[in-house]
Amino acid sequence: MKKKIVIDLPLNTENCRSKAMQIAVRSAGVISVNVDKEKGHLVVIGVGVNFFRLMKCIRKKFSCSSIVSLEDVKQEKPATPKKPICSSPKCPPICGQYYPVCQPVYDTYNPTCTIM
């Protein structure tokens, strides 16, 4: 099950953002890491992510960090298969391979050629 972890961090500089993202990416099971610059949140999405270990690693660098939310990510439903264009049973099957038609090329022999 995918989990979405939102962590509040003081992400004032670009160096802080990159360091927080590096720490989160090293954690096992992380699929994606995003930074919400407006709110100052680090959003981590992953499968089987141990948020306790993640927070322990982040708090070594950012002591005033805290978890804002921890929620399950809903899986998207697979797309429905498309119906064939022709619905009547008399439609011929569409061939996936194309074989070009070969035509012979005739070369006329000119006996007046002096090079040969």
Side-chain angles (χ1 to χ4, degrees):
M1 179 62 81
K2 285 186 181 181
K3 299 271 186 189
K4 179 179 177 182
I5 305 166
V6 181
I7 303 169
D8 185 33
L9 292 172
L11 301 173
N12 301 332
T13 64
E14 187 65 34
N15 190 20
C16 291
R17 287 185 205 116
S18 67
K19 190 66 175 178
M21 290 180 79
Q22 287 175 4
I23 293 170
V25 168
R26 283 190 230 139
S27 184
V30 173
I31 295 173
S32 70
V33 179
N34 296 322
V35 175
D36 187 5
K37 293 179 183 178
E38 295 173 1
K39 297 178 182 178
H41 292 166
L42 181 72
V43 180
V44 179
I45 298 175
V47 177
V49 178
N50 189 346
F51 70 91
F52 184 76
R53 284 188 184 173
L54 177 63
M55 284 305 297
K56 185 177 177 181
C57 293
I58 288 178
R59 282 196 178 143
K60 285 181 183 178
K61 179 71 178 174
F62 305 99
S63 60
C64 58
S65 61
S66 62
I67 293 180
V68 176
S69 68
L70 178 64
E71 56 191 43
D72 292 332
V73 177
K74 296 180 182 177
Q75 294 181 358
E76 296 177 6
K77 295 181 181 178
T80 58
K82 294 183 179 179
K83 294 181 181 178
I85 297 171
C86 182
S87 61
S88 69
K90 295 181 182 180
C91 287
I94 299 172
C95 183
Q97 295 180 346
Y98 171 73
Y99 297 104
V101 177
C102 296
Q103 295 179 352
V105 177
Y106 296 104
D107 188 21
T108 58
Y109 174 70
N110 191 357
T112 60
C113 183
T114 58
I115 296 175
M116 290 189 186

